[in-house]
Amino acid sequence: NVSLSTSVESASWNDEDRSWTVNLDQGGEQRSLRARHLVLAIGAGGQVPKMPEYPNRALFEGTVVHSADYKSSTQWQGKNGVVIGTGNTGKPDIQTTFNSCLTQTVIPIEYYRYFFDPMYNETTDINRQDRIFMSQPTSILHRATMASITALASADSERFDSLERAGFRVERYADLWHCVYERFGGHYLDVGASAKIVDGSIKIKGDAAPVAYTPTGLAFSDGSTLAADAVVFATGFDGNMRHAATQIVGEEIGNQLEDYWCVDAEGELRGAWKPIGHPGIWYTGGGMNQARYFSRFLALQIKADLEGMPLQPYTKTPGQSPVAML
């Protein structure tokens, strides 16, 4: 049963019958439902925007928006704008909207296709390829990917040299696994914006940081200013799903939940598709292949519980720091 135009307002746990009451807003109508299990599939990169605050916001006469609320550039056509951030959100905003940005790790789409096209295409069996890919230890995939990216980028130096000549400070030997599994972003999968930087269609302001608003734009740490009718913050999200989960289930239960993503002391992803510290609540997320593959294991755990044969979770992972590095 799918409910569209519906938002989850809150969820409470009944310890007596071990079930959730989930309170919903469905098109302005308040309703609730009961369930034994609550699976949070609320976005692989998080739902809580990160948005810097600069002095003198009230003086700025234009529009300030986070990319989470960005819908269309129509209202700003022909006007000046600044996009702060140049990742997978920032670059598309820039291509369709404005002409200014800051810095980023760049991964050409050709590199991505070099890895994945042989695995996922019209002739391969998706289930088999998922099993092959997901059966490899994360740390091994990390090292193999870094070796391949280093080789590809070393043979493609002009691509990155031209970006740096245009004023874009680029990390050419991108640690994709760090971006995906630890930072939850901080990279741009280049599908065309880099060429626009090189030819000057997109202007770069990468030599100073914003420090304050002015009535007509932004002031920077080097004393310069940029005129803007709109400022779009493409500064990402809080990638720890526990924080968004806490907004739904409350502080008491939220404090019991495991953090989401990054890796634990054994090199395994934290939180996703396994028990997370409280009965009947789960995280799912990641890329399409991860969610597709591991959701089966999550479903089996729920089925086992519903049939009165709950699985015993593995609990021997040593204690870890808040963010364990690969």
Side-chain angles (χ1 to χ4, degrees):
N1 297 321
V2 177
S3 297
L4 304 178
S5 301
T6 302
S7 60
V8 176
E9 300 294 306
S10 63
S12 59
W13 173 255
N14 186 323
D15 210 29
E16 291 185 8
D17 63 7
R18 298 180 66 81
S19 70
W20 293 96
T21 299
V22 184
N23 301 307
L24 309 174
D25 183 321
Q26 191 168 37
E29 179 182 348
Q30 304 300 309
R31 57 186 294 255
S32 62
L33 55 84
R34 299 280 296 277
R36 287 273 299 276
H37 292 269
L38 180 62
V39 179
L40 300 177
I42 53 178
Q47 293 292 306
V48 181
K50 293 180 178 178
M51 189 163 176
E53 295 184 2
Y54 302 126
N56 303 328
R57 169 66 182 87
L59 295 179
F60 180 51
E61 298 170 357
T63 299
V64 177
V65 63
H66 190 276
S67 60
D69 300 313
Y70 173 86
K71 304 298 182 184
S72 170
S73 63
T74 303
Q75 60 183 313
W76 298 311
Q77 289 294 330
K79 297 184 178 182
N80 294 318
V82 175
V83 175
I84 299 178
T86 58
N88 284 320
T89 302
K91 286 281 183 51
D93 286 351
I94 295 164
Q95 290 194 82
T96 59
T97 316
F98 303 130
N99 62 1
S100 303
C101 58
L102 292 178
T103 62
Q104 201 62 48
T105 294
V106 174
I107 301 170
I109 187 64
E110 296 89 343
Y111 296 8
Y112 186 86
R113 298 189 65 177
Y114 172 83
F115 295 117
F116 287 100
D117 278 6
M119 296 183 62
Y120 295 102
N121 56 62
E122 294 178 352
T123 64
T124 56
D125 181 278
I126 290 179
N127 291 328
R128 179 177 181 272
Q129 295 308 117
D130 282 348
R131 181 180 292 275
I132 292 172
F133 189 72
M134 295 302 157
S135 296
Q136 300 179 67
T138 302
S139 59
I140 301 301
L141 279 175
H142 175 225
R143 286 162 174 77
T145 301
M146 280 302 301
S148 297
I149 286 179
T150 299
L152 289 168
S154 296
D156 195 20
S157 59
E158 177 55 26
R159 178 196 297 267
F160 303 102
D161 291 343
S162 61
L163 283 169
E164 291 180 343
R165 286 195 297 269
F168 186 85
R169 293 179 295 172
V170 60
E171 172 53 63
R172 64 186 67 197
Y173 303 118
D175 190 338
L176 179 60
W177 251 239
H178 167 71
C179 293
V180 171
Y181 288 108
E182 296 168 355
R183 188 176 174 185
F184 238 140
H187 64 295
Y188 168 58
L189 188 62
D190 184 12
V191 293
S194 292
K196 293 187 176 183
I197 291 174
V198 172
D199 69 20
S201 300
I202 296 173
K203 308 299 182 185
I204 299 297
K205 177 66 176 174
D207 57 355
V211 294
Y213 291 97
T214 70
T216 57
L218 285 172
F220 288 79
S221 56
D222 62 354
S224 64
T225 61
L226 280 177
D229 297 294
V231 177
V232 177
F233 285 89
T235 44
F237 298 83
D238 182 346
N240 191 343
M241 200 184 297
R242 181 174 66 83
H243 299 157
T246 300
Q247 295 180 0
I248 296 172
V249 301
E251 291 285 343
E252 182 178 351
I253 293 178
N255 290 335
Q256 300 173 36
L257 302 181
E258 184 178 347
D259 288 324
Y260 174 78
W261 225 240
C262 301
V263 294
D264 61 25
E266 295 181 337
E268 300 292 339
L269 287 171
R270 299 184 303 175
W273 315 293
K274 56 189 176 184
I276 56 174
H278 187 279
I281 185 169
W282 313 80
Y283 303 137
T284 184
M288 180 65 74
N289 52 357
Q290 292 169 314
R292 182 172 56 224
Y293 183 74
F294 289 112
S295 63
R296 298 180 305 161
F297 298 98
L298 172 52
L300 285 170
Q301 293 172 87
I302 293 175
K303 181 176 176 63
D305 179 71
L306 294 177
E307 296 193 357
M309 299 181 293
L311 303 177
Q312 294 301 311
Y314 175 80
T315 58
K316 297 181 180 179
T317 303
Q320 70 252 18
S321 59
V323 178
M325 305 299 285
L326 291 170

